[in-house]
Amino acid sequence: MDWIEGIGYLGTALTISATAMSTMIPLRIISLCASCAVITYGILIGSMPVVLTEVIQMPFNAYRLWQMLRLVRDVETAADGDLSLEWLRPFGSRRPFGVGEVVFSKGDTADEMYYIESGVFRITEVGIEVRKGAIVGELGLLSPGNARTASLVCIEAGHALCVSYSDVKQLYYQNPEFGFYFLKLTSERLFQGVQGMAKPQVVAGDAL
C-alpha cells in the first residue's frame, strides 16, 4: 500500500466513523475531515466524480455545523440571563391568532411552546396577560403527562412563533450540550413562574 492509498483508506475510515456517531457536532466535524481526505485522494488518482461528490457535500456539512454551534452559543447566552427564545426561530413556525381564539385549554395535551411576537394573550385561570417577547407553554414538555395546567386565549390579535416539542427533543438528543443549557433555561423559567404566581401581573419578556 502506497501513501496515496493510505489517504484513501483514511477518508474511508473517517466516513465510517462519522456514520457511527450519534451527536451532531462531532459528526459534522469528522464528515468535513473525511471530505478533505477523499477530495485529496480523488485529485491524486484523477477521479473527478469522487472529488465532485465531496465538494458538493462539504458546504452542507459546514452550514449544519455552523448552525449547531450558533444554537449552542445562543442557548448558553440565554441560560446566563437573556431568556429570549430568538435562538429557536429557525426551528419554529409563525402562526396568526385572532381575538377570542383559544390557543390551548387546561387539560389539553401539550405539544408545542409559543414565543409571542405581537398581540396580547391571557392565561385565564390566573388573569395574567402575555405580551410581545414573552414565552409560554414550554414547561408542558416537562410536566407529568404533558398536560396543560392552564388555558391561553388571544385577547388582541397577533402572531406567535410555535416550536414543537418534537423539534426541541430532536435538538436535545442530537446535541447533549444543547440539552444541558435548555434544561438550565427551563429551570430558570420555572422559578420565575412560581414567583410570578404569587400575584397577577402582565408578562412581557418573561416566561411561564
Side-chain angles (χ1 to χ4, degrees):
M1 182 180 68
D2 59 23
W3 65 276
I4 294 179
E5 287 184 328
I7 294 175
Y9 285 123
L10 174 62
T12 300
L14 290 172
T15 300
I16 294 173
S17 298
T19 303
M21 291 182 174
S22 59
T23 54
M24 294 304 295
I25 289 180
L27 185 154
R28 299 298 180 183
I29 293 174
I30 297 299
S31 293
L32 288 170
C33 292
S35 292
C36 291
V38 173
I39 287 172
T40 302
Y41 176 71
I43 292 174
L44 292 172
I45 66 173
S47 177
M48 294 313 297
V50 171
V51 174
L52 182 61
T53 299
E54 297 301 323
V55 167
I56 293 174
Q57 288 183 355
M58 283 188 74
F60 292 102
N61 280 320
Y63 174 74
R64 292 301 183 186
L65 175 61
W66 171 81
Q67 188 179 46
M68 189 59 69
L69 289 172
R70 185 185 64 175
L71 177 64
V72 171
R73 180 202 64 197
D74 290 346
V75 176
E76 183 176 4
T77 299
D80 286 338
D82 178 9
L83 298 182
S84 158
L85 269 188
E86 288 288 339
W87 44 269
L88 273 180
R89 187 173 295 279
F91 305 94
S93 59
R94 192 168 186 259
R95 189 182 304 171
F97 292 96
V99 176
E101 184 174 352
V102 177
V103 182
F104 55 77
S105 299
K106 183 176 180 179
D108 287 351
T109 299
D111 56 5
E112 59 187 1
M113 55 188 177
Y114 304 85
Y115 174 78
I116 307 303
E117 295 184 324
S118 61
V120 181
F121 299 76
R122 176 176 292 149
I123 301 173
T124 56
E125 285 77 5
V126 292
I128 295 179
E129 292 185 358
V130 185
R131 298 177 179 271
K132 180 179 179 180
I135 304 158
V136 64
E138 87 282 6
L139 292 179
L141 177 63
L142 306 176
S143 66
N146 293 124
R148 299 291 187 192
T149 58
S151 303
L152 185 68
V153 178
C154 179
I155 60 174
E156 182 180 307
H159 292 79
L161 180 70
C162 307
V163 183
S164 70
Y165 290 160
S166 60
D167 287 337
V168 175
K169 289 179 180 178
Q170 188 67 22
L171 290 169
Y172 179 92
Y173 290 127
Q174 287 180 353
N175 194 323
E177 189 174 3
F178 168 84
F180 170 78
Y181 286 120
F182 183 76
L183 287 176
K184 183 178 177 182
L185 185 62
T186 52
S187 297
E188 178 75 14
R189 293 204 181 100
L190 179 60
F191 285 121
Q192 289 184 346
V194 170
Q195 293 172 357
M197 291 297 290
K199 58 180 180 179
Q201 58 181 320
V202 173
V203 179
D206 295 324
L208 290 176

